[in-house]
Amino acid sequence: MKSSKLIMGCLATLGLTAGIAVAQDDAEREAIAERLKPVGELCLQGEDCGTAMAASSGGGDTSSDGGSVDGEGIYNNVCMACHETGAAGAPVRGDEAGWSERTGKGFETLLSHAVNGFNAMPARGGNPNLSDAEVEAAVAYLVEPVMDVPELGGDTGASGDEEAAASGEEQAAADAEDSSSSEAQAATDGEDAASGEEQAAADGEGAASGDEPAHAGIDGEAIYNSVCMACHETGAAGAPVRGNAEQWSARLEQGIETLYDHSINGFNAMPAKGGNPSLSDDEVKAATDYLVEPVQ
């Protein structure tokens, strides 16, 4: 009789312990999800995008697009990752100084850039499923604080050639700026190469210790999908594409700690922590591990 009571007590204790562990794990996942929540999402080809996606986000204000398309919702899901942080040189929404030259070219030119891509910005913000009307509504919401937005619904294709010609000088200027920055980039690359040997030694010490990193249990794939894939799946702003061994070869030679540092603190066009400052260093490291996994 005493043995039965003892067994029942042990089983009850084990059940309680397991329940606590599951609850703690769920709480950690919810905390990560909450930190990721403000970041814009990338809609991939084949998914239900545009207006339907915007509606699911709860945005119902159509005052900024002049029609039934929710420009604010599309902006929040596709555009804000760059246009709220300034990533890859994107002008920040509401920054009049950053928009002054661009708005002087007119709304049609800005819309053409958004539809067809321009410099580091991919066509349709990297979401090919967006219609012209959806892109137009998102652009209207983006520039509304800094310029008068014309009535929407015009034909962007008819004036596309004129807009492309008008943007020729701007593109030439951008190319000149890229050329002038090459020497500075070469110097930066030299510094990175010089740190390679030190990093290799640090990696060797870490391997010898056999200790599992603190971020080993974090879901790096989920963080990558929410924060990093917009650039590292499309190559936007010169980002190396996940799984492209040729693009990653020189970077991997610098060592994983250097890649961690670039991801956490920012490097060239890549903003610190992918533009999401709410991520912890360990979460960024976990996402970086997932990013480079196919080419290591």
Side-chain angles (χ1 to χ4, degrees):
M1 187 66 177
K2 291 182 178 180
S3 298
S4 298
K5 290 182 178 180
L6 180 59
I7 292 173
M8 292 299 291
C10 292
L11 290 174
T13 302
L14 288 173
L16 180 60
T17 302
I20 293 174
V22 170
Q24 290 176 338
D25 185 60
D26 290 343
E28 291 176 358
R29 290 181 179 275
E30 290 175 1
I32 292 175
E34 183 64 24
R35 284 193 291 272
L36 296 177
K37 186 176 180 180
V39 180
E41 298 177 357
L42 178 69
C43 182
L44 300 179
Q45 187 170 6
E47 294 181 346
D48 186 13
C49 306
T51 309
M53 180 174 60
S56 67
S57 68
D61 182 8
T62 60
S63 61
S64 65
D65 62 30
S68 61
V69 182
D70 184 3
E72 179 179 1
I74 298 168
Y75 170 86
N76 289 337
N77 281 280
V78 180
C79 317
M80 70 176 295
C82 291
H83 285 288
E84 291 292 322
T85 63
V92 175
R93 184 176 188 269
D95 182 0
E96 294 186 0
W99 281 100
S100 59
E101 290 188 11
R102 295 172 171 88
T103 54
K105 301 178 185 300
F107 182 81
E108 290 300 324
T109 297
L110 299 179
L111 178 57
S112 175
H113 291 171
V115 171
N116 302 307
F118 186 72
N119 291 339
M121 180 177 65
R124 303 177 192 272
N127 182 353
N129 290 328
L130 289 179
S131 68
D132 287 357
E134 288 169 333
V135 175
E136 185 180 35
V139 172
Y141 176 78
L142 170 61
V143 302
E144 185 180 34
V146 294
M147 72 179 297
D148 292 331
V149 178
E151 183 177 354
L152 303 187
D155 183 5
T156 61
S159 59
D161 293 339
E162 295 180 4
E163 293 163 1
S167 65
E169 294 183 2
E170 182 177 342
Q171 183 61 58
D175 292 341
E177 293 177 3
D178 291 341
S179 176
S180 65
S181 66
S182 60
E183 294 183 3
Q185 184 57 53
T188 302
D189 292 341
E191 294 176 2
D192 291 337
S195 67
E197 295 182 2
E198 297 178 3
Q199 189 53 56
D203 291 342
E205 292 176 3
S209 67
D211 292 336
E212 190 176 56
H215 61 274
I218 298 176
D219 188 356
E221 180 178 1
I223 298 170
Y224 169 86
N225 289 338
S226 295
V227 181
C228 317
M229 71 180 298
C231 291
H232 286 288
E233 291 291 324
T234 64
V241 176
R242 184 175 189 267
N244 189 317
E246 182 179 356
Q247 293 180 3
W248 280 101
S249 59
R251 295 171 170 86
L252 290 174
E253 290 177 359
Q254 299 173 23
I256 191 64
E257 290 297 330
T258 297
L259 299 182
Y260 287 156
D261 179 71
H262 292 171
S263 299
I264 293 171
N265 300 307
F267 184 71
N268 291 339
M270 180 177 65
K273 301 189 176 184
N276 185 349
S278 66
L279 290 176
S280 69
D281 288 358
D282 284 339
E283 288 171 333
V284 175
K285 289 180 179 180
T288 302
D289 284 347
Y290 177 77
L291 171 60
V292 302
E293 182 182 17
V295 293
Q296 280 187 320

